[in-house]
Amino acid sequence: MKRLISALALSTALVSPAFAQETKVIGVSIPAATHGWAGGMNYFAQAAITRLEATYPELDFVLSTASDPSRQVNDIEDMLATRNIDALVVLPFESEPLTGPVQAVADAGVWVTVVDRGLSVEGIEDLYVAGDNPGFGRVSGEYMASQMPDGGDIVVLRGIPTTIDNERVAGFEEAIEGSGINILGMEHGNWNRDTSFTVMQDFLSRHENIDAVWASDDDMAIGVLAAIEAAGRDDIQFVLGGAGMKEMIQRAMEGDSMIPANVTYPPSMIASAIEVTALGMVSQTPVSGEFIIGSVLVTQENAEEFYYPDSPF
Amino acid sequence: MNTSAKAPRKVSMGVIGPILALILLVIAGALMNSNFLDWNNISNVLARSAFIGIIAVGMTFVITAGGLDLSVGSMAAFIAGLMILVMNTALPVLGVGIPIVLLGMAVALLAGIVAGLLNGILITRLGIEAFIVTLGSMGIYRSLVTWLADGGTLSLDFTLRTFYQPVYYGGIFGVSWPIIVFALVVVVGEVLMRATAFGRHCAAIGSNDQVARYSAVRVARVRLLTYVMLGLLVGVATIMYVPRLGSASSATGLLWELEAIAAVIVGGTVLKGGFGRVWGTVIGVLILTLIGNILNLTDFVSPYLNGAIQGAIIILAVILQRGRKPGL
């Protein structure tokens, strides 16, 4: 009898802490670091995972980066089949091809957090964390209008033709409506420095006078600045990029008149998503719903808050 | 039957086709925008053609000898990244000046030669398909540059970049260095292709490597040399590329391999090998660059369709020059 009781005591002593510390696995699937913003996102994802693993020993993370949608689907399938994940944080490469596979993960009873790009079917994810693309365009447009109260001629460099790009441009156009700002031309710079450099060279050949440029991204702004510098043109008053690259934030901080401001679209949103998901796994805190991270205007006054010298972006 | 009678006509069509397309493009450009023939615009177009152009000259030899290299874009990105790293590291020791620029250039040329040699050895000594080898090295170099840059961008030290910049933007008599280097590479390439045993051997190997082998051509060595030469030229292109924006990231040189191959084919070189034309490649490069330039100078077509227009013109240029060939 005594033995039975002690055995029972022993087993509960063994079982209950084990139950409390049951390891939960969180899978994180993101696109590979193939451009500046994605590089920053990879950095923030890794930093968040390192921090959370140290804070919560009961959490395990699986991080995978994919260079195209089909590889990302493979990654997610592997996570479900071999790592037994309890939660999935996914930044879909593209919405359409990822919708089915993520749906399957959700159907298997796994918590799903979708970041930045929504899926094509509503209601799959438990948590949605995203930047505000129409807001990104709107804040940029409002800044342009405030800097050019008498109107003026601008050129616009767009990203890769996607819905993200369309939403941003629509937000921008809406914001400058009636301000007297005239868009001389819009071309796709594909969020790429080299392409933007050549597109800007051609804009400079084509237009005698350009008052300002909405480069809509910091990588593109760098190409634009190089083209302006090489052409020796002094009619352009400023270039507005976006997304918060550290070099650009630094220039705004130092009061560079060509780069007076920036509009955030933080790659660190992946860290927000991972943190909130982890919180949902380790506590009773309700975390489902939508979490939209607004685009903020960065100027010389507040630039310091947005400067991350350790990030590669 | 009367192929002998048709032969000169076929050749002349192949010669005229790309030139005709180029002339038509220039006329269209001049009609659409008055700044098109402005020296600034011409100079921009020529200078930006130089990267793909220099690489495409090397690619002409590789393709003529029946090979292919898909790794050149990634290779350029990797070499640019390596060059920036070495120059930044050497900066405290050497300081800003000519020696450090020369060091950077030496690194680029050496890395290009080694990369070309690796591709070439795998292809010629181990007998692996060029397509497979270079598909593999394409992935390797692209990953390496992403890794070197830690997923972000490698940037040349600012003062160093300012010092080095004239290599892209400067020049003599208003002709910038990339244009001059491109012209020199073309002249040397044309002479090599037309007037040397190496050029003839490339064509012989490309048209039939068995026959070439029986004719005492050292097939493996010539093929290896074409890849080394292409690697060296990728190094040369990178030397011109780095001072432009002073940075390298994993998005550098994306799809350059396809642009270079397209330029070679538009210029009249046969994709299966056996016949190559360096000056044709130059026209091919100019055609491809001009299309982009003209589309940026007008609002004539939706920017969504730029790629389609470029694709259509590539196909059209090849149809123009093959017009007289039987449809096989």
Side-chain angles (χ1 to χ4, degrees):
Chain A
M1 193 63 189
K2 208 178 162 191
R3 246 179 81 193
L4 186 70
I5 289 170
S6 67
L8 203 69
L10 191 70
S11 66
T12 45
L14 275 176
V15 163
S16 54
F19 179 76
Q21 284 192 349
E22 190 197 357
T23 309
K24 293 214 167 159
V25 184
I26 300 179
V28 179
S29 170
I30 53 178
T34 50
H35 61 274
W37 192 86
M41 182 194 58
N42 275 259
Y43 163 83
F44 284 110
Q46 274 161 14
I49 288 172
T50 312
R51 196 190 80 76
L52 289 167
E53 274 183 334
T55 316
Y56 303 114
E58 68 269 38
L59 286 185
D60 239 357
F61 287 88
V62 190
L63 173 68
S64 74
T65 62
S67 53
D68 61 64
S70 67
R71 278 183 218 191
Q72 192 173 25
V73 172
N74 295 346
D75 288 345
I76 291 172
E77 284 172 355
D78 289 349
M79 281 180 192
L80 190 62
T82 64
R83 298 299 301 266
N84 228 346
I85 49 172
D86 299 285
L88 172 70
V89 179
V90 57
L91 199 159
F93 214 107
E94 280 170 27
S95 305
E96 294 288 338
L98 265 304
T99 299
V102 174
Q103 170 104 61
V105 172
D107 291 346
V110 172
W111 175 279
V112 172
T113 301
V114 172
V115 190
D116 193 30
R117 292 163 215 174
L119 298 172
S120 330
V121 177
E122 277 178 40
I124 295 176
E125 68 269 11
D126 300 283
L127 171 65
Y128 179 57
V129 178
D132 180 6
N133 284 304
F136 179 89
R138 194 187 60 244
V139 171
S140 304
E142 284 165 357
Y143 179 76
M144 275 277 174
S146 75
Q147 291 301 297
M148 307 169 81
D150 306 323
D153 294 325
I154 65 165
V155 292
V156 174
L157 282 97
R158 309 182 54 157
I160 294 170
T162 47
T163 45
I164 295 176
D165 181 59
N166 291 342
E167 285 174 12
R168 290 181 175 185
V169 172
F172 182 81
E173 284 178 323
E174 215 170 283
I176 61 166
E177 214 173 61
S179 66
I181 293 176
N182 171 34
I183 299 179
L184 292 171
M186 279 207 251
E187 289 286 343
H188 290 278
N190 297 345
W191 289 314
N192 177 294
R193 291 181 188 204
D194 290 315
T195 316
S196 307
F197 177 81
T198 49
V199 166
M200 191 62 204
Q201 275 192 329
D202 293 344
F203 272 144
L204 289 170
S205 293
R206 186 171 152 193
H207 304 292
E208 294 292 321
N209 182 72
I210 299 170
D211 293 315
V213 182
W214 185 43
S216 79
D217 174 77
D218 289 333
D219 261 319
M220 297 205 288
I222 287 177
V224 165
L225 287 171
I228 295 173
E229 198 184 317
R233 289 268 293 256
D234 48 15
D235 48 325
I236 295 118
Q237 296 155 21
F238 67 95
V239 176
L240 181 63
M245 181 188 285
K246 63 178 175 188
E247 287 87 359
M248 294 311 223
I249 297 287
Q250 194 178 10
R251 289 181 73 159
M253 202 155 66
E254 288 163 0
D256 190 325
S257 63
M258 266 312 248
I259 304 289
N262 205 290
V263 179
T264 60
Y265 192 81
S268 54
M269 69 174 67
I270 188 72
S272 312
I274 297 171
E275 297 259 0
V276 174
T277 307
L279 192 65
M281 289 293 121
V282 296
S283 72
Q284 303 296 318
T285 320
V287 296
S288 57
E290 283 191 359
F291 185 22
I292 305 297
I293 298 165
S295 282
V296 182
L297 182 70
V298 181
T299 55
Q300 192 175 4
E301 285 73 47
N302 64 351
E304 214 161 325
E305 295 167 40
F306 298 93
Y307 185 60
Y308 309 106
D310 294 336
S311 162
F313 181 66
Chain B
M1 299 292 165
N2 47 3
T3 38
S4 56
K6 268 189 173 175
R9 232 162 144 201
K10 187 172 76 189
V11 170
S12 74
M13 199 55 202
V15 173
I16 291 172
I19 300 179
L20 215 73
L22 185 61
I23 293 172
L24 282 176
L25 269 179
V26 172
I27 293 173
L31 287 177
M32 283 179 190
N33 193 298
S34 54
N35 288 330
F36 177 72
L37 290 176
D38 193 73
W39 172 244
N40 269 338
N41 190 50
I42 301 283
S43 163
N44 283 344
V45 169
L46 288 176
R48 77 173 72 137
S49 307
F51 310 129
I52 302 291
I54 291 169
I55 293 172
V57 168
M59 190 69 84
T60 312
F61 285 86
V62 168
I63 291 180
T64 303
L68 196 68
D69 193 334
L70 297 174
S71 70
V72 288
S74 308
M75 197 193 284
F78 171 65
I79 294 175
L82 193 67
M83 197 175 157
I84 289 171
L85 265 186
V86 169
M87 287 171 83
N88 282 346
T89 315
L91 187 62
V93 185
L94 290 177
V96 177
I98 306 262
I100 199 166
V101 170
L102 290 179
L103 172 74
M105 289 178 172
V107 166
L109 296 180
L110 203 71
I113 290 173
V114 170
L117 206 60
L118 282 176
N119 276 343
I121 286 174
L122 287 172
I123 292 161
T124 58
R125 306 291 162 188
L126 298 184
I128 312 170
E129 279 294 328
F131 186 90
I132 300 301
V133 169
T134 58
L135 190 66
S137 45
M138 171 170 94
I140 293 171
Y141 293 129
R142 184 66 60 199
S143 300
L144 282 178
V145 73
T146 313
W147 176 68
L148 283 183
D150 195 15
T153 306
L154 284 163
S155 295
L156 197 58
D157 180 84
F158 188 75
T159 47
L160 196 52
R161 186 196 152 206
T162 316
F163 181 78
Y164 187 13
Q165 241 174 0
V167 173
Y168 181 81
Y169 297 104
I172 346 176
F173 306 125
V175 183
S176 64
W177 287 115
I179 302 176
I180 296 167
V181 173
F182 182 25
L184 282 176
V185 167
V186 168
V187 170
V188 172
E190 180 70 19
V191 170
L192 264 179
M193 184 65 93
R194 290 255 174 149
T196 65
F198 175 65
R200 284 193 297 277
H201 288 168
C202 284
I205 294 167
S207 81
N208 191 327
D209 60 348
Q210 290 300 325
V211 172
R213 194 164 285 125
Y214 295 139
S215 318
V217 174
R218 288 166 153 181
V219 174
R221 212 177 73 167
V222 173
R223 276 214 170 120
L224 179 65
L225 266 179
T226 60
Y227 287 100
V228 173
M229 189 177 139
L230 177 55
L232 175 72
L233 288 174
V234 171
V236 173
T238 312
I239 287 176
M240 304 276 127
Y241 171 81
V242 167
R244 183 163 93 172
L245 293 170
S247 68
S249 69
S250 45
T252 300
L254 224 48
L255 296 183
W256 281 10
E257 56 282 341
L258 290 187
E259 279 183 54
I261 293 169
V264 171
I265 304 310
V266 167
T269 297
V270 181
L271 183 57
K272 287 178 197 148
F275 178 73
R277 258 202 318 242
V278 171
W279 65 264
T281 298
V282 177
I283 293 181
V285 172
L286 292 180
I287 289 176
L288 294 182
T289 320
L290 269 185
I291 301 165
N293 180 241
I294 292 171
L295 289 174
N296 285 343
L297 288 176
T298 61
D299 284 326
F300 196 58
V301 282
S302 154
Y304 290 139
L305 285 174
N306 282 6
I309 306 268
Q310 286 179 320
I313 292 190
I314 292 173
I315 296 171
L316 208 70
V318 175
I319 291 175
L320 258 177
Q321 52 178 281
R322 303 258 166 105
R324 303 274 159 165
K325 264 196 173 171
L328 286 168

